[in-house]
Amino acid sequence: MRHAPTLLFLFPSLLATVVYGEIYRSTDDQGQAVFSDAPKPGSTPVELAPTNTTPAVSPSTQPHSLPKVLGPAPNTLNIQQPGNGQVLPNGRTPTPVAVRLAQPLKDGQRIRIRVDGKVLSEGATTSTSIPFLHRGEHQISAELVDHNGRIVSRDQVTVISRWPNN
């Protein structure tokens, strides 16, 4: 046990050579760069830049303040059918339109559905049908209107109507 202090001193230095070993660069027979931790004839040591580190951030000890709620979130709507950019293969057959609301309608709210700017339906229903669409591109919009006639939420899709044989 007389050599125990010497071994304790040498052991960390042996680990340091493993952890901080040199890297050598050489070239193989095809001219490709080869990197190794063992020197080969004709190899050169590679100098590595220090490792990029970021210091740890201490968490804040101050309590987080929550944002003040100004009121209930406004209701929103989305057109579920038809999809934006959808090609309708036959504009001579009725095209279903379906709208989804984030919340149920409140008193005085109504849904207005338009096709190319003209009102198709207005009321509490979330679905309707477009009876006929000429060939070409069309804008379908849905608006959630409050009791004062203001638009609370709006969504719009563009569809392309085809007719058979065109």
Side-chain angles (χ1 to χ4, degrees):
M1 288 318 269
R2 283 183 17 200
H3 300 292
T6 306
L7 289 175
L8 287 174
F9 175 74
L10 287 176
F11 187 5
S13 64
L14 289 173
L15 282 178
T17 58
V18 172
V19 173
Y20 298 107
E22 297 250 353
I23 297 177
Y24 299 93
R25 182 179 194 268
S26 60
T27 307
D28 66 7
D29 296 337
Q30 287 87 26
Q32 301 292 322
V34 177
F35 296 91
S36 173
D37 61 349
K40 295 183 180 175
S43 64
T44 57
V46 175
E47 293 287 328
L48 295 177
T51 304
N52 185 8
T53 59
T54 303
V57 177
S58 298
S60 172
T61 57
Q62 297 177 355
H64 295 285
S65 62
L66 297 174
K68 293 181 182 179
V69 178
L70 301 176
N75 200 356
T76 58
L77 59 75
N78 297 92
I79 298 175
Q80 298 296 300
Q81 183 181 7
N84 191 33
Q86 185 173 342
V87 176
L88 307 171
N90 189 351
R92 292 189 273 182
T93 60
T95 302
V97 177
V99 175
R100 186 183 69 172
L101 291 164
Q103 304 167 11
L105 287 175
K106 296 178 181 149
D107 287 337
Q109 288 184 333
R110 59 193 186 280
I111 299 169
R112 182 184 301 144
I113 298 175
R114 296 177 186 261
V115 177
D116 297 326
K118 295 178 184 172
V119 176
L120 174 68
S121 72
E122 188 165 349
T125 183
T126 58
S127 63
T128 189
S129 185
I130 304 168
F132 179 86
L133 281 173
H134 290 285
R135 285 183 257 209
E137 188 175 285
H138 299 278
Q139 305 293 319
I140 301 171
S141 64
E143 302 166 340
L144 178 61
V145 182
D146 70 6
H147 64 281
N148 293 325
R150 290 184 303 226
I151 297 174
V152 176
S153 180
R154 184 173 195 274
D155 192 22
Q156 179 174 312
V157 296
T158 301
V159 297
I160 298 173
S161 173
R162 302 273 188 233
W163 283 17
N165 303 325
N166 74 334

